Amino acid sequence: VLHFNPMRSAAQRQELVRCVIAFREFFVGAIAERRARPRDDLISDIIAAQETGTELTNKEIRDNCIGLLVGGNLTTSDLIGNGVFTLLTHPGEHAKLKTDPTLINAAIEEILRFASPVDSTARTAPRDMAVAGCPIGQAQVMVTHLAAANRDPKQFKDPDAFDITRERAAHIAFGGGAHICIGAPLARLEAQVALPKIFERFPNLSLVDETLVWKSLPFFRGLEHLRVRACSAPLRPPGASARALTARR
Ligand code: HEM
């Protein structure tokens, strides 16, 4: 996460370097271990692909493993956090989901659109070009704001409304083109399982009244923490007060 923070201090930078080295060493070890003793897992499959002719250097295997672990971590926990927050702040839509649990997939798509956990991505121009009339030189980097595109009134009717039954139009919360998120099916599945489980376990979940702190990192849209009050009715002894749970990452 420090990697994405342009405001990191000198001490944080040192910590970042230490972590990057440790992270690389961890995967170099894991890859060597799988090469010696393959298992039924992704790293072993990537090594098998390399050994059967796919052009992949050892460094590419290591860096792809790091990309998968990093890419699938903060993003999915933010999707779940943003989902809980958005449903609790839109009781009408939450009620629709409670009445018809088959709406869960549509609800996750609407959360991805309305509260996109990755709000931007970037592209490097392969040649001189113009985008919407704006000249871009070869090798210039463009930051593309996915969250803004996901609220585009030309694409979505009443874009600032959170509506889990809206007529489906394609959002771009997972990016697009050759670099579209490789983990999108897993991310969707995690949220489709986690959100119903949370609300099934804590049907009376409510927000604790406090100032929300959103992450200040560029690219990511998620809360630093989300305090909720959870009454787990079946397990609560008579007379016991509701517990305030703190969901921290
Ligand atoms: C809600 C969860 C997630 C969101 C919102 C998300 C979003 C994104 C976005 C916007 C991109 C950039 C796409 C582009 O530039 O066109 C991306 C790329 C990527 N994501 Fe995800 N992601 C999520 C979950 C995951 C998971 C679970 C994994 C892995 C298990 C993952 C792995 C990656 C990787 C490896 C890339 C780079 C793909 C490439 O450059 O070819 N992501 N993701």
Side-chain angles (χ1 to χ4, degrees):
V1 168
L2 280 176
H3 177 78
F4 292 101
N5 185 356
M7 309 302 282
R8 56 185 176 254
S9 63
Q12 285 175 321
R13 190 177 177 282
Q14 259 186 340
E15 175 66 0
L16 172 63
V17 171
R18 193 190 64 74
C19 292
V20 168
I21 292 169
F23 217 179
R24 285 180 179 168
E25 281 170 358
F26 169 80
F27 275 113
V28 167
I31 291 162
E33 203 190 312
R34 301 306 193 286
R35 205 181 283 286
R37 280 175 300 281
R39 296 186 205 166
D40 181 15
D41 65 15
L42 182 63
I43 300 180
S44 306
D45 286 352
I46 299 175
I47 292 167
Q50 184 195 41
E51 287 171 356
T52 51
T54 305
E55 263 184 53
L56 265 175
T57 64
N58 291 342
K59 188 171 166 294
E60 283 168 341
I61 298 182
R62 180 200 71 189
D63 289 351
N64 271 293
C65 289
I66 293 176
L68 284 166
L69 187 61
V70 173
N73 204 306
L74 190 62
T75 50
T76 43
S77 48
D78 280 345
L79 174 58
I80 294 166
N82 291 1
V84 170
F85 175 71
T86 307
L87 285 167
L88 291 180
T89 47
H90 295 82
E93 296 308 294
H94 194 188
K96 279 190 208 165
L97 183 57
K98 281 185 188 161
T99 311
D100 180 2
T102 66
L103 286 173
I104 185 64
N105 292 4
I108 301 300
E109 295 312 305
E110 180 65 350
I111 293 162
L112 282 160
R113 183 196 72 83
F114 183 82
S116 311
V118 176
D119 65 15
S120 23
T121 182
R123 290 292 185 270
T124 307
R127 56 182 181 284
D128 291 348
M129 54 171 65
V131 176
C134 176
I136 313 278
Q138 182 182 14
Q140 258 189 310
V141 175
M142 292 163 270
V143 173
T144 52
H145 210 277
L146 304 173
N150 284 339
R151 301 277 188 110
D152 183 351
K154 287 192 212 129
Q155 185 73 4
F156 303 100
K157 195 171 153 235
D158 200 3
D160 294 330
F162 176 67
D163 175 0
I164 66 170
T165 50
R166 71 165 54 245
E167 208 175 299
R168 200 72 80 80
H171 63 71
I172 53 165
F174 292 112
H179 290 280
I180 195 167
C181 177
I182 196 172
L186 175 63
R188 288 186 158 110
L189 185 64
E190 285 181 29
Q192 287 160 5
V193 172
L195 282 178
K197 279 280 167 215
I198 291 169
F199 288 112
E200 181 192 312
R201 176 77 177 83
F202 302 109
N204 299 318
L205 208 65
S206 62
L207 291 176
V208 171
D209 187 16
E210 64 168 4
T211 309
L212 294 167
V213 182
W214 292 90
K215 289 187 188 108
S216 57
L217 287 172
F219 299 108
F220 297 103
R221 171 78 176 161
L223 288 157
E224 282 292 344
H225 60 262
L226 177 63
R227 280 169 59 80
V228 290
R229 188 165 287 111
C231 310
S232 138
L235 301 178
R236 210 171 111 211
S241 63
R243 282 183 301 136
L245 292 185
T246 303
R248 281 181 193 277
R249 275 174 303 97

